[in-house]
Amino acid sequence: LKAILDRFREEMRKQGDTQRSLAVKIPCHAGQLSKSLAGYTLPSANILIGAAREGYDMNFILRGESEDKRILALETELRDANTLIDSLERILKK
């Protein structure tokens, strides 16, 4: 839970949100968000869904996996596939 809350706070910093500004956006009571981020209560579905709607990377928050890493992996696989296609086309032209 501590790792999830640390990543949630990190995502808040990336998004430029304070607890109050995020509570207004979600919307939820600022005290509820504060207790969740302090680890006194689990973040409610309302908080998690609201943060996701605001563009928070829930894959990063909940699993520690950044969207950027997945995108980079897909880009690498696409480049590899294109290289293979180019090689096959050269072989077929011979």
Side-chain angles (χ1 to χ4, degrees):
L1 179 62
K2 181 182 178 329
I4 290 172
L5 297 176
D6 288 344
R7 290 190 297 264
F8 198 110
R9 285 188 291 272
E10 182 180 337
E11 190 71 9
M12 285 177 63
R13 281 189 296 276
K14 286 180 191 175
Q15 298 284 338
D17 278 322
T18 64
Q19 289 181 10
R20 282 198 177 158
S21 67
L22 182 58
V24 168
K25 291 176 182 179
I26 287 178
C28 73
H29 191 275
Q32 178 188 13
L33 181 59
S34 177
K35 287 180 182 178
S36 293
L37 293 174
Y40 295 116
T41 62
L42 293 174
S44 68
N46 182 52
I47 290 172
L48 296 175
I49 292 168
R53 285 184 182 145
E54 290 301 316
Y56 279 56
D57 183 351
M58 300 312 291
N59 195 44
F60 169 70
I61 291 171
L62 298 175
R63 301 176 71 195
E65 297 174 1
S66 175
E67 292 290 325
D68 294 339
K69 288 180 185 176
R70 293 190 313 163
I71 290 170
L72 289 174
L74 289 172
E75 287 173 344
T76 299
E77 290 177 18
L78 182 59
R79 274 193 303 274
D80 292 346
N82 284 332
T83 300
L84 289 172
I85 289 169
D86 291 344
S87 295
L88 286 171
E89 286 176 347
R90 280 194 299 273
I91 291 169
L92 291 173
K93 287 180 181 180
K94 288 184 180 182

